[in-house]
């Protein structure tokens, strides 16, 4: 009689259920804030255009919802790793300013005075970035990929990463006078004159300095981890470095007319996505293949576009009057002539960026050449196991050969 399989729901402990509920609650809170912002935009934004709604949706998808979704996946799959919880908290922090954003923008466009609630949200807009970056960038950089600090000495940096944004936000709300960072300058209704205001200015400056220093130190921590890493951890950090490089290049490189509202959210979202791949160890070893393919097709495109644009019109003129079939044939012929170039570029890129695949291919080709002349079964056995070990690198290998079928005696 077969034993009944245990019910996963019954096997869940109260602690794991609490974590699951909390993870979904953080994600739903972020989603609710984004939906509330959309509803407010539909009610008050005038003129309400598709571009206004699209830009708001892209912003919400790239920053709060993107981080919240990655945080939800990590908290459900790796609840003991704090990186997922940090992403979820960062997303919720960003989303707090979304619901009232369209209303404040409309007040500014109509040149109407800001009520107290609008001033509070305006102050949050110019200060919320500090805790959001600390939760979504600084602290995860200190903990990636295993969720632990590199050593106890980095506790000081983690403490500064937490204290700096708190001091910055608290001090900024108490500084007296007219605000200058908001869309419309106004007198800070929460500012405190005298000694309290002077202390608030000093606290704000100190908090901003701590935030900046801790962020730089966290990036240095990632570099030090990468230099000391080996094996799986090194591959995890390569994913993290790739996501960070895409984000930095996407934000800083001038793209001209190609830069739209979708660029910044998309490239910044690469950071949590690659961190999630590193933490979950999902298809870690596909990075070399991904990079090599990207570089290959970029180089091939750059090498072929200009000659192709020059050759195809010439070929079309030569067959002009022969019909569309002749033009299509000439185009296909020109494309086929460049296939050897594409293969050559692929080999060069694999040798540089995808060394494992390049070495494996060379090993298999050499084995195929030796296989033609090999007749000794024992030598073939050793050769085959050696090729498998070099290309696949398994923990152990064995070869089973089916014994030849016995010949049944023919009865006379």
């Amino acid at each position: 009689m077969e034993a009944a399989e245990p019910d996963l729901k019954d096997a869940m402990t109260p602690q794991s259920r609490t974590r699951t509920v909390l993870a979904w609650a953080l994600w739903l809170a972020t989603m609710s804030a984004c939906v509330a912002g959309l509803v407010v935009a539909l009610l008050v934004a005038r003129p309400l255009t598709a571009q206004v709604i699209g830009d708001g949706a892209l912003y919400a998808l790239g920053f709060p919802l993107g981080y919240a979704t990655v945080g939800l996946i990590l908290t459900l799959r790796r609840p003991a790793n704090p990186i997922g919880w940090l992403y979820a908290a960062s997303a919720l922090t960003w989303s707090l300013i979304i619901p009232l954003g369209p209303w404040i923008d409309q007040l500014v466009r109509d040149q109407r005075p800001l009520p107290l609630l609008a001033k509070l949200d305006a102050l949050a807009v110019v200060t919320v970035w500090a805790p959001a970056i600390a939760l979504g960038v600084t602290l995860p950089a200190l903990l990636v990929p295993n969720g632990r600090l590199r050593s106890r000495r980095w506790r000081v940096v983690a403490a500064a990463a937490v204290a700096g944004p708190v001091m910055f936000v608290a001090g900024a709300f108490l500084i007296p006078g007219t605000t200058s960072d908001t869309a419309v300058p106004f007198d800070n209704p929460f500012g405190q004159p005298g000694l309290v205001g002077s202390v608030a200015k000093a606290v704000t400056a100190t908090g901003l300095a701590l935030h900046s220093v801790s962020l730089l130190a966290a990036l240095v921590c990632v570099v030090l981890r990468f230099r000391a890493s080996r094996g799986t951890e090194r591959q995890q950090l390569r994913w993290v470095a790739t996501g960070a490089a895409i984000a930095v290049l996407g934000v800083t490189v001038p793209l001209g007319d190609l830069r739209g509202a979708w660029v910044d959210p998309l490239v910044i979202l690469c950071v949590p996505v690659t961190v999630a791949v590193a933490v979950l160890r999902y298809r870690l070893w596909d990075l070399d293949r991904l990079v090599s393919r990207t570089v290959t097709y970029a180089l091939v495109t750059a090498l072929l576009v200009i000659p192709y644009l020059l050759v195809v019109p010439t070929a079309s003129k030569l067959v002009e009057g022969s019909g569309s079939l002749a033009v299509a044939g000439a185009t296909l012929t020109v494309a086929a002539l460049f296939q050897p170039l594409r293969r050559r570029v692929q080999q060069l890129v694999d040798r540089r960026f995808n060394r494992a695949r390049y070495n494996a291919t060379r090993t298999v080709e050499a084995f195929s050449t030796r296989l033609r002349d090999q007749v000794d079964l024992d030598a073939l056995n050793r050769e085959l196991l050696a090729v498998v070990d070099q290309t696949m690198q398994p923990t152990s290998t064995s070869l089973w050969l089916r014994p030849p079928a016995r010949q049944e005696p023919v009865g006379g």
Side-chain angles (χ1 to χ4, degrees):
M1 187 173 175
E2 295 183 358
E5 295 184 359
D7 189 355
L8 295 179
K9 293 184 178 179
D10 295 338
M12 292 181 63
T13 63
Q15 186 178 11
S16 62
R17 291 175 181 171
T18 302
R19 288 176 174 177
T20 302
V21 172
L22 180 58
W24 278 105
L26 290 172
W27 187 86
L28 289 174
T30 304
M31 172 64 79
S32 300
C34 295
V35 172
L38 176 60
V39 172
V40 173
L42 294 175
L43 293 176
V44 304
R46 297 294 182 274
L48 184 62
T49 62
Q51 183 178 0
V52 172
I53 298 177
D55 292 346
L58 286 172
Y59 172 83
L61 180 63
F63 295 103
L65 281 183
Y67 271 74
T69 302
V70 173
L72 176 64
I73 295 173
L74 289 178
T75 50
L76 293 178
R77 298 291 301 275
R78 297 288 189 273
N81 193 317
I83 294 178
W85 300 103
L86 291 171
Y87 280 154
S90 176
L92 182 59
T93 303
W94 273 114
S95 66
L96 294 177
I97 61 175
I98 291 180
L100 298 180
W103 174 51
I104 296 176
D105 292 340
Q106 190 62 38
L107 292 176
V108 173
R109 284 193 294 267
D110 296 340
Q111 298 182 352
R112 296 168 58 187
L114 300 181
L116 180 61
L117 182 60
K119 293 179 180 179
L120 175 62
D121 191 78
L123 288 172
V125 169
V126 297
T127 56
V128 75
W129 59 268
I133 291 177
L135 292 169
V137 179
T138 307
L139 292 174
L142 290 171
L143 300 173
V144 72
N146 55 15
R148 295 189 296 270
L149 293 173
R150 190 165 183 265
S151 66
R152 292 187 176 183
R153 291 178 295 179
W154 291 93
R155 291 181 179 179
V156 178
V157 180
V162 175
V166 173
M167 296 171 63
F168 172 74
V169 174
F173 270 79
L174 297 177
I175 294 178
T178 303
T179 62
S180 58
D181 296 332
T182 56
V184 176
F186 58 86
D187 290 333
N188 186 0
F190 309 100
Q192 301 296 321
L195 180 62
V196 176
S198 300
V199 173
K201 292 180 181 179
V203 169
T204 301
T206 304
L208 183 59
L210 288 176
H211 170 72
S212 303
V213 171
S214 62
L215 178 58
L216 294 176
L219 299 179
V220 172
C221 180
V222 175
V223 175
L224 295 177
R225 277 186 187 267
F226 182 79
R227 293 183 60 182
S229 62
R230 296 292 184 274
T232 301
E233 184 180 9
R234 190 174 188 85
Q235 193 68 12
Q236 290 175 293
L237 293 174
R238 287 183 67 192
W239 274 97
V240 176
T242 301
I246 294 174
V248 172
L249 292 176
V251 173
T252 58
V253 173
L255 299 176
D257 296 336
L258 296 177
R259 177 172 294 278
W262 57 274
V263 174
D264 290 349
L266 182 63
V267 297
I268 291 178
L269 191 57
C270 290
V271 176
V273 169
T274 53
V275 170
V277 172
V279 172
L280 298 176
R281 299 184 182 182
Y282 176 73
R283 303 181 71 89
L284 277 180
W285 305 98
D286 286 352
L287 179 61
D288 291 335
R289 183 179 181 87
L290 178 63
V291 172
S292 68
R293 286 293 182 269
T294 303
V295 175
T296 297
Y297 288 116
L299 289 177
V300 169
T301 302
L303 291 173
L304 298 187
V305 164
I306 296 178
Y308 190 80
L309 293 178
L310 294 176
V311 172
V312 170
T314 304
S316 301
K317 290 181 180 179
L318 292 177
V319 298
E320 188 175 1
S322 301
S324 59
L325 183 61
V327 175
T331 303
L332 293 176
T333 302
V334 172
L337 293 176
F338 286 104
Q339 289 301 314
L341 176 61
R342 186 198 66 80
R343 288 192 291 269
R344 179 59 178 167
V345 172
Q346 179 70 67
Q347 292 175 358
L348 294 175
V349 173
D350 283 342
R351 180 184 295 182
R352 177 63 183 88
F353 294 98
N354 195 3
R355 191 70 189 183
R357 178 182 181 275
Y358 176 77
N359 293 337
T361 303
R362 295 292 297 273
T363 303
V364 172
E365 290 176 353
F367 174 71
S368 300
T369 303
R370 294 193 301 270
L371 185 62
R372 300 190 187 100
D373 304 325
Q374 186 62 262
V375 294
D376 186 0
L377 186 60
D378 292 334
L380 180 62
N381 185 1
R382 292 191 298 270
E383 287 275 352
L384 181 59
L385 292 178
V387 169
V388 172
D389 182 68
Q390 293 179 26
T391 56
M392 307 299 294
Q393 297 182 355
T395 56
S396 62
T397 57
S398 61
L399 178 64
W400 178 81
L401 297 177
R402 187 175 64 180
R406 293 186 300 174
Q407 296 290 337
E408 296 291 339
V410 180

